[in-house]
Amino acid sequence: MASPVAPYLEISQAIEEAGGEALRKCYQCGTCTGTCPWSSITEFNIRKLIRQGQFGFDGIEEFMWYCSTCNFCVSRCPRGVEIIDVVRAVRRVYSEGGLLPESLRVFVGSLSSRGNPWSGDPDKRNEWYNGEYPHFSEDTEYLYFTCCTVCYDPRNVRVARATAEILDRAGISWGLLGTDVNCCGESAGKVGDTALFERLKNNNEEIFKSNKVKKIIVNSPHCYYTFKKEYSGKYEVIHITELLADLIRDGKIVPKKDLSETKITYHDPCYLGRHSGIYDAPRDILRSIPGVELVEMEKSREQSMCCGGGGGGLWTERSKGERLSDLRMEEALGTGATVLATACPYCISMLEDSVKTMNADEKIKVKDITELILDSLE
Amino acid sequence: MSRIGVFVCHCGSNIAKTVRVDDVAEFARDLPDVVMAESYKFMCSTPGQELIQEKIKECNLDRVIVAACSPLMHEKTFRKVLENAGLNQYLLTIVNIREQCSWVIEDMDKATAKAKALVNGAVHRARLLDSLASRFVDVNSEVMIVGGGIAGIQAALELASTGKKVYLVERSPTIGGHMAQFDKTFPTLDCSACILTPKMDAVLQNPNIELMTSCEVTEVKGFVGNFDVTVKQKARYVDHDKCNGCLTCVEKCPAGKGLSEFDEGLGSRKAIYIPFPQSVPQKPVIDRETCIYFKKGKCRLCEKVCEQDAIDFEQEDTYHDVKVGAIIVATGYSLMDTKPLVQYGYGKYPGVYHSLEVERLFNSTGPTEGKVVMRNGEEPGSIAILHCIGSRDINYHEYCSRVCCMYALKFAHLFKEKTSADVYQLYIDMRCFGKGYEEFYNRVLAENVKFVRGKAARVTDVTGSPEEEGKLIVEVEDTLSSQFMRLPVDMVVLAPAMEPRADAVDVARIFNIGVDKDRFFREKHPKLDPLSTTTDGVFLAGTCQGPKDIPDTVAQAIGAAAEALTIVGKKQLELEAATVYVDPYVCCGCQNCVRVCTYSAPSFDIEKKVSVINEVLCKGCGLCAASCPTGAIIARHFTNDQFIGEMEGLMEF
Amino acid sequence: MEFEPKILGIACNWCTYTGADLAGTTRIQYPHNVRVARVMCSSRINPAFIFRAFQLGADGVLVGGCEPGDCHYSTGNYYARRRLAITRKILEFAGLEPERFRVEWISASDGIKFAEVVKEFTEEIRALGPQTKFKVKKDIET
C-alpha cells in the first residue's frame, strides 16, 4: 500500500559530497535510459536511479551495480550530466557503508590484500613471460605496463606474450618493471572504493617516479584511461594499438601472412573508443594485414555496444538473457565474420565466455589485435 | 577651478546592498573641487533627475558626476538632464558602481573601497573635461531592409505606408522566406500561403518599395542617417525588365532534374525556374549548375521560345550603390542539419524526415500535391514525431528553439486529418506559451495522439520480432511510466534546432553588428532594446535575432520599422561630438593618421603641409591620436590629459 | 594583512566594457582589485598611458579589446595588438616583470571570460607582490 514520502535530502547530499554534484543538472529527459544498452534486457533504469538520488528515494540500491560505465549515456546526455561520476558517488556512499554486494567482495578483497583482482600471488605477477625480456631502467624509452588480467588470466596471458614478442621485434627501447607494481586500480574506483583506489594509485606513482618513467604502453584501455585521466598526468600513455599503427605505417613491422579472405569484425572497447576517442588505429592495423576483409557491425565506433565487463561487471554473474556480451556476440555472428577482433582484456574475457555459452566455437574466434599481428608476422 | 557635483545612486538595493553609498558621497564631498555630494534612491527617476537639475542651479555646478549603473545604460538619460539645466552634456561623467562593482563584489568593504576609487578617478577626469559642440548631420530618408521573409515584408509594408522609400533586398529569386514553405500555421491553422501571398503582392504593387531579388549586400560604408550600401545583383540570365512572366520557358525547358530548394530536395525543378507558383516576382532565373547550355554549350531552348527576347546568357553580376538612412536586418534562420546525429538516421533511412520536408509534403503545391506519401510511395500507418533534436542539448545548441512543440502538435493534427495513422509525440516538455497554444495542445490530445514523455534515444531499422518487420524502430524511455519502449513506426519526423544562417558571422561583419554566443545577431539589450544593435541605424527583426514564431516575428518587424522611423523620420540627426582634431602647430606632416584610418577621415592639406580631420567621417575611435608621433591629434572627450588624470584618480587610494 | 593589488583596467567600450557589464548582470563574482577606465577603442591606448600607470603605483595593468575581426571600428584592435606587444617588450627591457601587463581580447557576450581573466590576473599579481620598480613616490605633474 503506497503512502506519501518526503524527500530524504541527506542521501542526495551524501551522494553530492561523494562526487556526484552532477545530479543537480539532470532534467530527467530519459535520453540516458533510452540509450543505455542494459535497458532492453534488464530492469536497470539509469534515469530513475538519478531521480532516486535527487530525492533520496528508496530503491536506489537495487540496480546501482548494473552500470558498466560504458559512457554511452554521458555522450548523449543533453545537459552534460557526468552520469558515471554520479554512479560512482552512489556506489561510494553505499560501499563505504559496508553494502558492497557479495559478487564484488572477492575481487575488491583481492585488490586490497594482493594488489590484483584475480587472487593471484603478487610475486608471480611476471611469471607470464617465458622469454628473456628487457627490464625497465632509467634510459628505457617505453614502459610496458601489464594489466593484472593479462598477467594472471589464462586466456589473456596470450595477449601479454604476443605484445612482448612484437615489441621485441619492432626494435624499440622498452622494458618491464618488477612485481612491486599493482593493479591500476580502475575497477576499485568504479565500484566506489575510493580509498583503495588511492592506495593502489599512490603505490604505482611512487614506483613510476623512482624509476623515472616517461612513457607507458598498455594493453588495457581501462589502464589507459586511468593512467591518463585519473593519475597525475606526468607521463605519456600510449595504447598498444596506437603504437602498432605507427610502427606499421613506418614500416618497422610488416604484416606478411595472407589470411586469404578472412572476414574480421572489430568490437570497439568502451574505454578505448567512447572514453578515449581511439577508433581508427585498430582498424588501420586490421586493414594492413593481407587478406583481411573488415566488416563493421551496426553498433560500431561511437555507438559500440558495451560487453558488460566494466564497472565491476567482469566479476558479476548475470543470468542468461541479461548478458550484453551475448547480444554483442549475436551481432558479430550476424556479420558473417569468422574472427571478432578487439583490443581490451576485459572485452576478451566477456566475449570468450559468450562464445562458449552460445556454442559458437566453430563459427567465430575472439582475438586480440596483438595476437592477430603476431600471427601475421610469422 | 571646477565646481563638481557628485550624485551617488542607491538603485534601490542593487547598489546600496553592497556599497555604502552615503560613505561614498561623504568621501566625494572631501575631495578638492567637489562642492556637493549626495546620494539618492533612484537617480534615473523623475525626482532623481530633478534633484540633479536643482543642484546644478543651486550650487552653480559646472561638472556633474553620477555614480550609478553602467554608462551604457543611462549616459544618454543623464546627458539630457544636463542639457535641460543649461549645462553642456559632455561635462557629465558616469561612474559604473553597479554592473562593475556592487553586482560583482560581495564584501561591503571591498565594494565600497572600489566605488570610492572609481569616483576619485571620475573627479580627476571631470576637472579636465571641456564643453563640446553638438554635431548635426542631414539624414537620408530611405530605408534598406535585408531579407525578404515575413519579417522583411512586414517591415517594408509598414515603412512604405508612412511614405518612406524602401529597398527590400532578398538573396533568393523570390520573397516569402520560410513562411512560404509552410502549409498551415499554428494554432489557427491558417493556410500559410493565404495569409502571406497578399502581403507579397502588396510589396510588389507598392510604389514606395523597390524589390531587389537575387541580390546580396556586399559592403556597408557610412554611418547612421547616411549609409552607403553596395548591393550585388546576381546574374539571373533573364532580363526582368523584358520578361512578362508568361513562364513558357519553364514549361519547355528540358533540364528537369534540379533539386527544388523550396521543396527541400523532395521535388525537382527545371534549370530555368521560379521557386514556387506564387513567387514574387513571377519572373524566372536560370541555375547555372543544372542548365544544359552552361554545362555543355547546347540547348538554349528557352531563348528560342521567349517572345520577349528576355533570355540573356551573357548577363553578369552587377554592383549597385544604394544610399539609405537606416537598415533593418531580417535575414532569417536555417534548420540544423541532422545528418551528424547518426542515432536518428536522417539521410540513412528514407523514412526519416525533418520538419520543413514534412511541411512540403502537407502542402498542396508540394512534391506530393498535399498527400502524405513517403519516399517509398506509401502512406505511413504510424508516425513518430521527435522533439528537441539538437535543441536544449549541450552537445549542439543549449537553447530551446521555441516553435517546435507547437509545430509538432500541428503536424500531429494534420496527420490525423489526412491519414488514419497512429501518431506519437516524443517530448521532454510541452512548451505552449502563446495565445491559443495550450488550447491547441488539448485539442490534439483529444484527437488520440499518443504522447510519450522522453527524448528519443535512437532510430534503427534492425528489427527484433515479426511485428517490427519492415518498420523503423524508435527507442525511447517513457519516463512517466519508467518504461523503456521500442516504437515500430513507418515514418519518423525530426524537429531540428533553429539555427542562424551559415554565414551569419560574415553578414554581421558587413553590417558591423555583433553576434551572441549562439551566432544569432546581438541586440543592444534583450529586454529594453531588442531590435537595436551596437551600430546606430542598423536594426534587427525576426529569427535572425533568435528563434521565434510568426506572431513574434511580425511584432518585431513592426517594431523595427518604428525604430527605423526614429532615424529617417527626422531631417537631421545629432551625432556623437567626441571626434578628433589636429593641432596644426604640432603636426609634423608624417601622414600616419591618413594611413591608419579606416574611415578616411584624416586627409593631408598639401599647401599647409598638415593633416586635417573630416569630422563628419570621424567615428572618434582614437586610433590616429595614438598613432601620432608628435601628439598633434587631440581626441575630444578622451584626451591624453583626461585619461591620465582619470588614472591618477583611480590609482590614488 | 593580505596584499591587495591595485590593478588598472582599460576596457574598450564596444566589447570588453560591455562584456564586463554582462558579468555584472549575470552576477558573476570577481575580485575588487581591477579599476576600469573606458576608452572607445583599444587602439586609443598610447603606450605612455601604460608607463604612467606603473609610475602611479599600479601593481598590474590589464587591457581588454575586441576579438580579432570584431573591432567596432574594424581594424583598431590589430593596431592595438602590435602597439601593446611592443609596449610589453619595452617594459620588460626596462626591468619590469612582463607578467604585470596583460592584454586580452574579450567579446561583449563573454562576461564569463572577463571575470575569469580578472580572477586569474589578480591572483598572479598578488603572487608577484607590490610593484616597486617604476612607482614614483611624489606627485606627477601632467
Side-chain angles (χ1 to χ4, degrees):
Chain A
M1 179 62 215
S3 53
V5 288
Y8 188 13
L9 295 177
E10 282 82 357
I11 293 277
S12 340
Q13 206 179 352
I15 297 173
E16 290 194 10
E17 279 165 16
E21 317 77 38
L23 261 189
R24 297 184 189 182
K25 298 198 270 189
C26 169
Y27 67 171
Q28 292 285 298
C29 67
T31 307
C32 49
T33 299
T35 307
C36 176
W38 295 100
S39 295
S40 47
I41 53 176
T42 64
E43 295 291 315
F44 174 55
N45 185 325
I46 180 65
R47 175 206 53 85
K48 194 164 172 187
L49 189 149
I50 296 184
R51 193 55 163 172
Q52 289 162 330
Q54 284 176 330
F55 282 108
F57 285 153
D58 278 340
I60 202 173
E61 56 296 332
E62 206 184 332
F63 292 111
M64 65 178 180
W65 303 104
Y66 270 92
C67 173
S68 45
T69 70
C70 75
N71 216 38
F72 208 3
C73 57
V74 177
S75 70
R76 294 277 161 85
C77 173
R79 280 300 207 238
V81 178
E82 298 89 352
I83 299 171
I84 296 181
D85 287 352
V86 175
V87 170
R88 287 175 72 166
V90 174
R91 289 176 176 181
R92 183 175 171 184
V93 168
Y94 279 83
S95 76
E96 279 172 9
L99 290 164
L100 197 68
E102 270 292 348
S103 55
L104 301 176
R105 279 189 215 162
V106 177
F107 97 84
V108 173
S110 169
L111 271 175
S112 181
S113 56
R114 292 166 191 250
N116 72 77
W118 297 107
S119 303
D121 185 347
D123 291 332
K124 302 215 171 105
R125 196 182 173 91
N126 288 342
E127 271 206 359
W128 60 268
Y129 59 92
N130 45 14
E132 274 293 308
Y133 290 126
H135 194 82
F136 184 88
S137 67
E138 252 185 62
D139 320 303
T140 318
E141 193 183 352
Y142 294 99
L143 164 67
Y144 171 35
F145 181 90
T146 45
C147 167
C148 305
T149 309
V150 306
C151 291
Y152 292 106
D153 176 60
R155 162 54 182 102
N156 277 295
V157 154
R158 284 155 30 201
V159 174
R161 292 195 187 120
T163 309
E165 261 312 292
I166 297 172
L167 288 175
D168 232 22
R169 296 189 202 186
I172 57 174
S173 152
W174 73 281
L176 295 152
L177 278 174
T179 55
D180 44 356
V181 295
N182 49 231
C183 180
C184 64
E186 190 255 352
S187 295
K190 297 284 168 22
V191 299
D193 200 334
T194 320
L196 175 56
F197 172 73
E198 289 296 315
R199 179 155 58 88
L200 295 165
K201 175 177 106 166
N202 290 335
N203 183 48
N204 274 347
E205 297 238 86
E206 273 299 315
I207 296 172
F208 292 161
K209 187 164 152 199
S210 61
N211 282 279
K212 303 222 179 17
V213 170
K214 287 165 264 32
K215 297 185 187 178
I216 311 180
I217 303 174
V218 290
N219 290 110
S220 168
H222 292 258
C223 297
Y224 179 84
Y225 178 88
T226 309
F227 288 155
K228 210 166 176 165
K229 305 249 174 83
E230 307 207 348
Y231 276 40
S232 62
K234 296 199 182 105
Y235 358 83
E236 195 189 322
V237 191
I238 302 147
H239 188 260
I240 187 64
T241 53
E242 289 182 294
L243 182 67
L244 284 182
D246 283 345
L247 290 172
I248 291 174
R249 198 194 52 227
D250 296 339
K252 300 218 178 100
I253 296 214
V254 185
K256 283 203 253 353
K257 186 155 128 206
D258 192 312
L259 291 184
S260 44
E261 312 280 302
T262 305
K263 258 196 186 148
I264 300 192
T265 187
Y266 174 69
H267 162 78
D268 292 276
C270 300
Y271 273 83
L272 192 61
R274 263 192 301 275
H275 277 286
S276 306
I278 298 175
Y279 300 105
D280 291 312
R283 288 175 167 83
D284 290 341
I285 296 173
L286 289 170
R287 274 189 280 260
S288 74
I289 303 176
V292 162
E293 190 194 324
L294 186 59
V295 291
E296 295 277 7
M297 291 182 272
E298 202 218 353
K299 294 189 174 145
S300 67
R301 301 180 75 101
E302 186 267 337
Q303 300 189 79
S304 174
M305 189 201 301
C306 180
C307 68
L314 189 54
W315 294 276
T316 312
E317 274 302 318
R318 301 227 179 270
S319 34
K320 200 164 173 68
E322 283 198 354
R323 292 181 203 143
L324 284 182
S325 52
D326 284 358
L327 283 184
R328 191 52 155 173
M329 189 51 64
E330 260 176 49
E331 199 183 352
L333 289 165
T335 64
T338 51
V339 175
L340 173 54
T342 188
C344 171
Y346 285 26
C347 293
I348 291 180
S349 287
M350 299 299 288
L351 292 167
E352 288 280 27
D353 250 0
S354 288
V355 167
K356 288 193 196 71
T357 56
M358 290 163 74
N359 290 315
D361 313 54
E362 302 301 310
K363 299 195 207 127
I364 198 165
K365 300 262 177 284
V366 177
K367 293 272 185 195
D368 186 83
I369 299 254
T370 52
E371 295 174 313
L372 288 169
I373 288 291
L374 186 63
D375 240 6
S376 80
L377 294 182
E378 312 308 14
Chain B
M1 290 300 292
S2 320
R3 298 181 62 78
I4 303 176
V6 177
F7 299 88
V8 187
C9 186
H10 292 230
C11 193
S13 65
N14 276 310
I15 296 178
K17 201 166 81 136
T18 36
V19 172
R20 296 191 192 95
V21 288
D22 289 321
D23 284 5
V24 177
E26 198 189 305
F27 162 82
R29 229 171 275 136
D30 289 334
L31 297 174
D33 296 318
V34 175
V35 301
M36 57 87 24
E38 258 184 53
S39 76
Y40 186 70
K41 273 256 142 104
F42 291 104
M43 226 63 228
C44 55
S45 65
T46 307
Q49 294 184 32
E50 282 172 358
L51 172 68
I52 299 178
Q53 292 185 320
E54 259 170 50
K55 293 295 174 188
I56 290 176
K57 298 200 176 92
E58 205 181 285
C59 308
N60 208 9
L61 302 176
D62 63 10
R63 300 284 185 278
V64 172
I65 293 175
V66 178
C69 55
S70 172
L72 300 180
M73 194 87 210
H74 275 314
E75 187 168 50
K76 289 209 171 77
T77 315
F78 291 114
R79 277 186 176 172
K80 282 208 185 59
V81 171
L82 266 69
E83 284 282 293
N84 290 340
L87 204 55
N88 185 279
Q89 56 176 315
Y90 294 95
L91 299 173
L92 167 76
T93 306
I94 304 276
V95 182
N96 186 334
I97 58 170
R98 191 183 72 168
E99 281 86 337
Q100 294 187 19
C101 192
S102 72
W103 273 354
V104 294
I105 303 169
E106 265 177 3
D107 183 307
M108 273 201 104
D109 291 334
K110 293 183 174 161
T112 310
K114 180 170 177 177
K116 287 182 186 170
L118 293 173
V119 168
N120 195 32
V123 169
H124 280 245
R125 175 181 158 83
R127 288 187 195 116
L128 301 167
L129 287 175
D130 290 313
S131 300
L132 296 180
S134 292
R135 302 185 300 137
F136 289 90
V137 75
D138 283 340
V139 173
N140 182 312
S141 64
E142 300 181 346
V143 180
M144 176 175 289
I145 300 178
V146 184
I150 179 63
I153 291 171
Q154 187 69 44
L157 290 171
E158 294 291 319
L159 282 167
S161 72
T162 67
K164 297 294 173 200
K165 163 100 190 254
V166 175
Y167 296 92
L168 182 54
V169 178
E170 165 57 44
R171 161 188 281 184
S172 74
T174 176
I175 54 174
H178 282 300
M179 189 176 167
Q181 292 176 295
F182 300 163
D183 179 43
K184 302 227 165 32
T185 55
F186 58 76
T188 48
L189 298 173
D190 286 311
C191 149
S192 184
C194 304
I195 52 179
L196 178 63
T197 47
K199 287 192 198 271
M200 287 166 63
D201 191 58
V203 164
L204 188 65
Q205 307 296 345
N206 196 310
N208 285 337
I209 302 179
E210 185 170 323
L211 190 48
M212 303 174 81
T213 55
S214 297
C215 282
E216 274 180 17
V217 172
T218 55
E219 202 181 359
V220 175
K221 291 220 268 281
F223 51 97
V224 59
N226 292 280
F227 288 112
D228 210 324
V229 185
T230 310
V231 178
K232 176 170 90 170
Q233 168 73 65
K234 296 186 277 195
R236 295 176 176 123
Y237 309 108
V238 176
D239 186 340
H240 277 208
D241 289 327
K242 293 187 183 155
C243 172
N244 66 359
C246 72
L247 300 181
T248 310
C249 50
V250 179
E251 200 192 310
K252 302 289 185 201
C253 174
K257 294 274 174 56
L259 282 181
S260 165
E261 294 86 349
F262 190 77
D263 279 339
E264 295 293 319
L266 289 180
S268 58
R269 59 155 171 77
K270 302 282 180 74
I272 187 168
Y273 70 104
I274 55 168
F276 65 103
Q278 295 92 356
S279 289
V280 167
Q282 274 268 304
K283 297 179 183 176
V285 301
I286 297 181
D287 169 28
R288 281 184 81 106
E289 302 298 312
T290 48
C291 169
I292 296 175
Y293 172 67
F294 279 114
K295 292 211 309 190
K296 299 188 192 148
K298 299 198 199 123
C299 188
R300 295 176 83 129
L301 190 57
C302 49
E303 195 179 33
K304 295 178 190 133
V305 301
C306 177
E307 293 185 359
Q308 302 296 115
D309 199 24
I311 309 289
D312 179 4
F313 289 107
E314 308 306 312
Q315 221 181 55
E316 285 183 0
D317 295 345
T318 51
Y319 292 83
H320 306 265
D321 233 345
V322 181
K323 292 190 180 9
V324 292
I327 301 173
I328 298 178
V329 178
T331 48
Y333 70 93
S334 279
L335 217 52
M336 178 177 150
D337 178 15
T338 47
K339 263 220 198 77
L341 285 83
V342 293
Q343 63 267 44
Y344 298 116
Y346 178 77
K348 183 178 173 193
Y349 305 124
V352 178
Y353 292 78
H354 68 62
S355 43
L356 277 175
E357 287 174 333
V358 173
E359 290 281 0
R360 296 315 303 148
L361 288 182
F362 281 132
N363 194 257
S364 53
T365 64
T368 57
E369 291 171 353
K371 293 197 234 350
V372 182
V373 167
M374 304 205 299
R375 290 179 176 102
N376 61 6
E378 290 175 11
E379 194 182 278
S382 46
I383 304 158
I385 304 175
L386 278 47
H387 294 218
C388 302
I389 305 302
S391 306
R392 304 184 67 190
D393 190 332
I394 207 172
N395 302 303
Y396 301 99
H397 298 293
E398 275 192 81
Y399 55 83
C400 163
S401 292
R402 204 172 162 110
V403 296
C404 337
C405 279
M406 288 313 298
Y407 73 58
L409 287 175
K410 175 183 78 175
F411 287 165
H413 169 81
L414 291 172
F415 280 129
K416 281 292 185 188
E417 202 179 76
K418 297 193 168 202
T419 71
S420 50
D422 292 326
V423 181
Y424 299 92
Q425 294 259 4
L426 279 59
Y427 71 97
I428 308 175
D429 292 294
M430 284 309 293
R431 296 187 161 178
C432 310
F433 53 91
K435 261 194 181 174
Y437 289 12
E438 191 66 29
E439 294 88 328
F440 191 66
Y441 178 21
N442 271 342
R443 179 176 170 182
V444 173
L445 270 168
E447 286 167 355
N448 203 22
V449 171
K450 296 295 182 190
F451 283 77
V452 175
R453 197 263 166 197
K455 182 173 161 171
R458 211 165 143 250
V459 175
T460 178
D461 64 354
V462 175
T463 55
S465 64
E467 299 88 56
E468 293 184 350
E469 213 43 52
K471 304 259 190 227
L472 286 172
I473 314 296
V474 183
E475 290 182 344
V476 62
E477 187 212 0
D478 175 52
T479 64
L480 297 176
S481 59
S482 294
Q483 183 65 54
F484 177 71
M485 306 211 288
R486 283 173 67 90
L487 278 174
V489 292
D490 295 312
M491 180 180 188
V492 172
V493 178
L494 303 177
M498 217 183 204
E499 279 182 343
R501 298 267 184 198
D503 60 350
V505 175
D506 297 324
V507 171
R509 291 223 175 106
I510 292 177
F511 292 99
N512 200 8
I513 58 181
V515 294
D516 64 19
K517 65 172 174 60
D518 300 305
R519 282 186 318 116
F520 288 104
F521 296 138
R522 186 156 29 87
E523 62 287 295
K524 214 170 196 181
H525 190 282
K527 289 203 187 50
L528 302 176
D529 219 347
L531 306 177
S532 308
T533 63
T534 44
T535 298
D536 287 342
V538 177
F539 304 102
L540 304 173
T543 50
C544 61
Q545 181 257 349
K548 56 180 67 72
D549 52 18
I550 295 171
D552 288 345
T553 299
V554 171
Q556 279 204 341
I558 299 174
E563 292 271 31
L565 276 174
T566 64
I567 309 290
V568 300
K570 302 194 183 101
K571 284 264 165 354
Q572 285 202 317
L573 268 187
E574 187 181 342
L575 294 180
E576 181 65 50
T579 51
V580 308
Y581 67 94
V582 176
D583 181 344
Y585 295 106
V586 185
C587 173
C588 67
C590 72
Q591 296 191 59
N592 238 10
C593 52
V594 178
R595 269 189 288 275
V596 299
C597 181
T598 302
Y599 305 101
S600 309
S603 57
F604 191 62
D605 183 332
I606 299 190
E607 277 171 29
K608 300 197 181 122
K609 299 223 184 357
V610 292
S611 284
V612 171
I613 311 285
N614 179 344
E615 296 197 12
V616 177
L617 296 177
C618 175
K619 300 259 188 221
C621 67
L623 168 57
C624 56
S627 305
C628 176
T630 57
I633 299 188
I634 319 289
R636 291 190 183 94
H637 210 54
F638 291 96
T639 66
N640 289 346
D641 289 345
Q642 286 162 358
F643 193 81
I644 292 177
E646 187 177 359
M647 283 202 301
E648 280 173 14
L650 288 176
M651 293 289 116
E652 196 174 356
F653 296 109
Chain C
M1 262 282 283
E2 197 180 24
F3 159 59
E4 286 296 350
K6 232 192 297 189
I7 300 173
L8 175 72
I10 309 180
C12 89
N13 181 66
W14 303 98
C15 286
T16 307
Y17 196 91
T18 308
D21 276 356
L22 181 61
T25 46
T26 32
R27 310 293 198 278
I28 306 175
Q29 304 291 298
Y30 54 83
H32 70 298
N33 312 64
V34 176
R35 295 143 186 211
V36 172
R38 187 168 62 126
V39 287
M40 291 316 279
C41 180
S42 53
S43 65
R44 172 72 191 90
I45 301 171
N46 189 318
F49 296 170
I50 314 295
F51 303 143
R52 192 59 68 87
F54 286 118
Q55 284 182 316
L56 290 167
D59 299 305
V61 174
L62 174 65
V63 170
C66 298
E67 291 191 342
D70 292 337
C71 178
H72 186 78
Y73 304 100
S74 107
T75 47
N77 57 355
Y78 294 133
Y79 289 97
R81 185 174 72 86
R82 286 185 225 163
R83 196 180 287 141
L84 296 173
I86 297 176
T87 307
R88 198 168 199 243
K89 285 230 175 329
I90 296 176
L91 286 168
E92 193 177 0
F93 179 74
L96 187 76
E97 302 97 315
E99 300 82 40
R100 289 190 185 271
F101 176 50
R102 182 162 166 179
V103 178
E104 280 291 340
W105 308 114
I106 302 172
S107 81
S109 43
D110 221 336
I112 297 177
K113 184 172 178 188
F114 181 80
E116 289 296 313
V117 169
V118 169
K119 271 187 218 148
E120 217 180 87
F121 191 58
T122 306
E123 290 320 305
E124 279 172 25
I125 300 296
R126 202 193 298 274
L128 284 173
Q131 183 266 123
T132 49
K133 187 89 201 179
F134 285 172
K135 183 170 178 173
V136 178
K137 266 76 174 174
K138 57 177 165 53
D139 283 324
I140 318 272
E141 310 237 322
T142 49

